[in-house]
């Protein structure tokens, strides 16, 4: 990863207490906003990003030059309409796009590296809530997120129940399963097995653990796609050749695609951040945080504090399948919180929440208008 | 991998022609046999092993000291009854348990390493058929295999239709899907990213690409298990601790298990063999080999040459799901070959064919007796 450009950010005035018992001082939160905040501050929408996401939800990423990751959803006249809403998207702590993370400088002027404390999803959200405090936004119109962003939306609802009118969680789960943890562990081991990782102390060195990070990304990427989607997109088609090469070059298009995904990722992401964020996701178990019962996590919404929930899953998502969303819906029902739920049909697997699924646009728009 | 002990093997008298156009001379095939061959040689069963399997189907592996990988299925009085049958199991070419592979010595007295030719499943079977020729066994009572072993059984039936009375293919496929290829490509990239791999020339060096090979094994291992099986076996249970460690040790049992699987594997398997065998599996497409139509692959059984087929799948196998077996059954139907098919219910995913599934025992015994 190259040296980052200057990101728009804000320093939290107080140390951030963490679930692990430590606290983090001098925390920077990098963020982007879109659309005007109304005078009564009632139109703020917080969008929470996924594992490798960032704050550039609807504007060009300054490192990759690529357009915002949810351009199709956020903008003037779009389902999350920036002519009506003030949209905030911040880089989570532990990440590497301007918010404090393992690559940031510690008190001794050296990078934290693996001295950075292990964080949780709730710690990320605590940082986001502190950002909202700085912005003097007491109650969000809506908190929205897909995948790890959905975990954050649920964590905000569970732990700061007064902070949002609406909670929209897409393609997500209330806890990481053994299989989810297993795939992340493969990625972490790939990074840590790379000698260039140097126990995390690679900042300023000639090379970073890009090879390990690329393998981690490749393994994860398979879990973001459906088997049928992969078959439709690539099948067994060969890459730029008429016949098998009888060698170890990328013969098949799917191999070439994965290699491209892996190497491209290393240009924009820090390997240590990948370790910390996957760890936070693996630690995520909203029920465990609240006495072992998921309904208890949503007890703050019992009797109705006005917060409404919407859960969306995709029929081809095998990373966080529909059953996980249904589990959350049952807990919200048990807690007496109003919730709507829809399973959408889309061919793209987990990644559907980022892709061209018009039905999702309608659900998002309908929920914000409702 | 340590230096192998002396394995029982046989040298093929003639060079082995390969699908890639080269041929391999001085080929050693390591094998084990169990039970007596009848005077009319009508009771021979060939068992084909899976990706990381070996010839020690029903006897102790001399390197690991572990008992045979299909002890529950093969032995006196077992479903594949060695009091009645002469069971042959051979290490495939390309592997590393005594048969010729990348670690073997080439004509220049140096290991082949990556100079070993890329092979196919059909090449492996060509080696097995040459072994049967040396044993003077013209027609097998049955050829049996699970996973990659099933691919070999199907390949033998397609390309040497006169060599077996019965074909039993378990938890397998007639072609590798894009997702299958993708998972293998992650494993290969993990190995090749390990600096200790040295472009394959690590034999005789102080270290081998064990770290990369372990990551490859971990990624593959997840695909061998069902999500429900993983949840039942491990869930989110912690390993030897009461609370999360807020570090990067193996907190969860599933992490510890995967690490153990990865590191244990490197003690018995050669990284280059892993590259070559996964490549062979990715190249496998029985229809493509036979003019693009799977039924055409089984044309040698049209009108009935007496060969009977049995296909078995498992309902929790997401690596080679039931739909793949059904696809093969339809092709056999179209070719006019007699086939029986059963989908068994078992919680273990793809690995079910190796584990305690009494229904499989009954199917195997019934098919051999029928």
């Amino acid at each position: 990863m190259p040296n980052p450009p200057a990101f728009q950010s804000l320093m939290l005035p107080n140390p951030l207490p963490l679930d692990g018992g430590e606290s983090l001082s001098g925390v920077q939160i990098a963020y982007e906003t879109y659309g005007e905040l109304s005078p009564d501050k009632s139109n703020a929408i917080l969008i929470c990003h996924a594992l490798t996401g960032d704050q550039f939800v609807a504007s060009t990423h300054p490192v990759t030059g690529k357009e915002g990751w949810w351009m199709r959803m956020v903008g003037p006249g779009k389902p999350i309409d920036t002519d009506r809403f003030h949209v905030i998207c911040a880089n989570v702590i532990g990440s590497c796009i301007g918010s404090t993370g393992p690559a940031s400088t510690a008190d001794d002027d050296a990078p934290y590296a693996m001295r950075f404390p292990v964080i949780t999803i709730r710690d990320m959200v605590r940082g986001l809530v502190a950002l909202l405090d700085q912005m003097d936004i007491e109650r969000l119109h809506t908190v929205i997120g897909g995948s790890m962003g959905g975990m954050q939306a649920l964590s905000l609802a569970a732990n700061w129940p007064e902070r949002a009118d609406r909670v929209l969680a897409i393609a997500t789960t209330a806890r990481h399963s053994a299989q989810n943890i297993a795939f992340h562990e493969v990625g972490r081991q790939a990074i840590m097995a790379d000698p260039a990782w140097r126990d995390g102390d690679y900042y300023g060195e000639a090379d970073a653990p890009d090879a390990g990070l690329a393998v981690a990304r490749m393994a994860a990427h398979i879990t973001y796609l459906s088997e049928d989607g992969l078959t439709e997109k690539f099948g067994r088609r060969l890459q730029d050749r008429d016949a098998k090469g009888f060698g170890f070059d990328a013969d098949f298009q799917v191999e070439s695609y994965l290699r491209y995904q892996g190497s491209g990722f290393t240009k924009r992401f820090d390997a240590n951040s990948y370790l910390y964020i996957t760890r936070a996701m693996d630690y995520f178990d909203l029920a465990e945080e609240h006495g072992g019962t998921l309904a208890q996590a949503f007890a703050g919404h019992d009797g109705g504090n006005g917060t409404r929930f919407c859960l969306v899953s995709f029929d081809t998502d095998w990373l966080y399948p529909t059953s996980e969303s249904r589990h959350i819906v049952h807990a919200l029902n048990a807690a007496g919180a109003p919730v709507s739920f829809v399973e959408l049909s889309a061919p793209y697997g987990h990644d559907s929440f980022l892709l061209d699924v018009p039905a999702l646009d309608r659900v998002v728009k309908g929920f914000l208008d409702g």
Side-chain angles (χ1 to χ4, degrees), chain A residues 10 24 39 46 57 82 102 127 133 146 148 152 192 205 218 255 270 272 274 279 292 313 316 344 353 355:
Chain A
L10 177 155
L24 208 51
L46 178 67
V57 61
T82 52
D133 287 345
M148 187 182 85
Q152 294 166 67
M192 293 162 119
E205 299 286 346
M218 288 171 65
E255 295 175 305
D270 177 52
N272 284 341
Y274 197 83
R279 199 56 163 160
S313 70
T316 55
L344 298 179
F353 79 98
L355 299 174

Side-chain angles (χ1 to χ4, degrees), chain A residues 315-339:
Chain A
D315 59 352
T316 55
D317 184 352
W318 58 278
L319 189 67
Y320 306 137
T322 290
S323 54
E324 298 296 329
S325 286
R326 216 166 252 145
H327 180 61
I328 297 165
V329 170
H330 291 160
L332 286 164
N333 286 337
V339 55

Side-chain angles (χ1 to χ4, degrees), chain A residues 98-171:
Chain A
S99 290
T100 298
S104 303
T105 304
D107 284 344
D108 62 358
D109 286 333
Y112 281 103
M114 298 308 284
R115 301 177 302 163
F116 194 76
V118 166
I119 55 169
T120 65
I121 297 291
R122 180 160 58 183
D123 291 333
M124 294 175 186
V125 177
R126 198 174 281 118
L128 296 173
V129 169
L131 173 73
L132 297 177
D133 287 345
Q134 287 306 106
M135 293 173 163
D136 212 17
I137 295 173
E138 260 190 50
R139 190 166 169 94
L140 293 163
H141 181 281
T142 307
V143 59
I144 303 182
S147 195
M148 187 182 85
M151 298 180 192
Q152 294 166 67
L154 294 172
S155 177
L156 186 138
N159 295 293
W160 292 270
E162 303 300 331
R163 299 301 293 248
D165 262 345
R166 291 173 183 77
V167 179
L168 177 48
I170 307 169

Side-chain angles (χ1 to χ4, degrees), chain A residues 11 15 27 60 105 118 152 177 183 186 203 250 258 273 275 286 365:
Chain A
M11 186 185 284
V27 173
T60 303
T105 304
V118 166
Q152 294 166 67
S177 72
F183 275 113
V186 167
Y203 302 111
L258 275 184
S273 282
L275 297 178
L286 203 49
K365 186 167 165 36

Side-chain angles (χ1 to χ4, degrees), chain A residues 284-308:
Chain A
F284 187 61
D285 184 344
L286 203 49
E288 188 200 58
E289 259 181 37
H290 294 86
T293 315
L294 191 56
Q296 189 59 33
F298 300 115
H301 302 280
D302 192 13
N305 70 342
T307 305
R308 289 186 297 123

